[in-house]
Amino acid sequence: MKATNLFVRSLALVSLGGFACSKPPAKAERIDATGISADQSAVVLEKEPEIVPAETPKEPEKVLLTNAFTVDQKLDLVIATDAAVGDGRGIDVLAAQLNILGKALSTAMDTQIHFMTNEPLVLPDLAAAKIGFIDQAVGPTDIIGLLGTLFANGFAEQYVDAAGDALAAPLAFRPGAKLEVVLFSTGNGEDDGNLAVDFDPANALKANVSAVVAMADSVESDECTIEAVGQEYIELSKKLNGSLIDVCSANFVQIFTTLTSEITKRNLSFKLAEKPADPRTITVNVNEKPATRDLWFYDGKNNAISFLSASVLAAGAKVEVKYEQAKTP
């Protein structure tokens, strides 16, 4: 082969190889405002919003409160007993139980007792200066009217001591004292002036009235003869938040035990400054010593601590109540 042809063919091969190895010119990329090319944007997934867990509500903070009290309650107690009750049970038995009642209530409260009865009674455990007997016969049908006269100061000159001697001045009803009235009867109020509606119609006295009277299911005995169901007295007791007890109860002692307990609960109570978050958190100290839960209870209706026995306290005792109060949002 001629040298000239060999040179030409070699040159042609070199030219073809160079063409085959060369790349086409790069295509210009279009970049959008996000900095991502148009080609890339086709495969980029939209980012999901970040999920932030909700905050767990915080429990309200508890505030520990302490309420302090001094036992200084005053109690004016009126007891009206018709003659039939004393005659049936025995005047000595009645006097002994009234003595126990007065002593129990006087332990923790400054108690004055007005006895409306046919005759003075022997009450050895009570302070003579705290007792006034009203020398007035009491019948089974007229107690409401007699109580009205008493509170209108109509018996001021009939106050006597245990010996039957006239008092220099009637035992006074004290401003600020709690007022409890207990009536014992085997009969029922009759006629105008002796009906439930006739007793303190404006509730100016703020009295609690308890009735120890004959009920519809009372059972007569040698010691208890019923003249009538004491319906007017029952109605009065219910209206004025007193105790209601069967006068013919076979257990005469239980009558006075119940009266002592219920009068104590109504009057030996201490109103709290705030509502407790949980009554179970309440603790009570008397004279810096814990008072166990069998001695007191929380009265939710009145937001108060009430004691179950007057013997738990004494006049001048210091009562301290601690409890948790839910913090106001």
Side-chain angles (χ1 to χ4, degrees), residues 26-30:
K27 183 180 178 181
E29 287 189 318
R30 180 170 54 84

Side-chain angles (χ1 to χ4, degrees), residues 80-94 116-119 121 136-143 183-188 212-214 220-228 233 247-248 252 255:
T81 306
D82 82 36
V85 176
D87 292 344
R89 299 286 184 171
I91 197 66
D92 292 340
V93 173
L94 177 62
M116 187 181 295
T117 183
N118 291 335
E119 59 181 292
L121 305 174
Q136 170 64 44
V138 180
T141 64
D142 59 3
I143 294 179
L183 58 89
F184 291 79
S185 181
T186 58
N188 185 42
V212 184
V213 296
E220 290 187 293
S221 67
D222 292 341
E223 297 177 335
C224 187
T225 302
I226 300 171
E227 294 197 22
Y233 303 143
V247 71
C248 288
F252 195 56
I255 291 175

Side-chain angles (χ1 to χ4, degrees), residues 104-141:
L105 296 177
S106 297
T107 299
M109 290 175 278
D110 179 6
T111 304
Q112 291 191 166
I113 307 176
H114 305 248
F115 283 99
M116 187 181 295
T117 183
N118 291 335
E119 59 181 292
L121 305 174
V122 178
L123 306 170
D125 294 326
L126 304 186
K130 299 287 186 177
I131 303 172
F133 294 95
I134 297 112
D135 185 13
Q136 170 64 44
V138 180
T141 64

Side-chain angles (χ1 to χ4, degrees), residues 100-329:
I100 292 171
L101 171 68
K103 181 181 179 181
L105 296 177
S106 297
T107 299
M109 290 175 278
D110 179 6
T111 304
Q112 291 191 166
I113 307 176
H114 305 248
F115 283 99
M116 187 181 295
T117 183
N118 291 335
E119 59 181 292
L121 305 174
V122 178
L123 306 170
D125 294 326
L126 304 186
K130 299 287 186 177
I131 303 172
F133 294 95
I134 297 112
D135 185 13
Q136 170 64 44
V138 180
T141 64
D142 59 3
I143 294 179
I144 291 175
L146 293 174
L147 291 171
T149 302
L150 172 67
F151 290 116
N153 204 33
F155 293 133
E157 296 180 357
Q158 291 171 250
Y159 271 85
V160 299
D161 61 20
D165 297 327
L167 295 182
L171 199 62
F173 290 97
R174 299 166 295 177
K178 301 288 186 68
L179 179 59
E180 289 275 347
V181 177
V182 182
L183 58 89
F184 291 79
S185 181
T186 58
N188 185 42
E190 296 178 0
D191 304 322
D192 290 345
N194 289 294
L195 306 179
V197 295
D198 298 321
F199 180 81
D200 189 24
N203 196 27
L205 296 171
K206 307 298 181 187
N208 294 314
V209 177
S210 297
V212 184
V213 296
M215 312 286 189
D217 58 353
S218 293
V219 178
E220 290 187 293
S221 67
D222 292 341
E223 297 177 335
C224 187
T225 302
I226 300 171
E227 294 197 22
V229 171
Q231 192 56 47
E232 292 297 325
Y233 303 143
I234 292 170
E235 181 182 332
L236 180 60
S237 177
K238 289 180 176 179
K239 183 172 76 171
L240 295 181
N241 304 312
S243 304
L244 192 55
I245 304 173
D246 181 1
V247 71
C248 288
S249 170
N251 188 344
F252 195 56
V253 173
Q254 186 59 44
I255 291 175
F256 291 87
T257 301
T258 300
L259 282 172
T260 301
S261 174
E262 296 191 1
I263 292 174
T264 296
K265 285 191 290 185
R266 286 195 290 269
N267 295 283
L268 272 182
S269 62
F270 304 90
K271 188 171 180 61
L272 302 181
E274 303 290 344
K275 282 276 189 181
D278 182 350
R280 291 172 297 182
T281 67
I282 299 173
T283 60
V284 178
N285 290 338
V286 177
N287 291 333
E288 301 183 348
K289 294 182 179 179
T292 56
R293 287 302 297 258
D294 60 324
L295 301 177
W296 58 271
F297 69 98
Y298 172 64
D299 175 1
K301 180 180 178 181
N302 298 303
N303 192 35
I305 296 298
S306 292
F307 280 80
L308 296 167
S309 173
S311 63
V312 175
L313 303 175
K318 304 297 182 183
V319 176
E320 187 177 71
V321 182
K322 294 183 180 181
Y323 55 97
E324 290 181 355
Q325 176 205 6
K327 186 176 180 181
T328 304

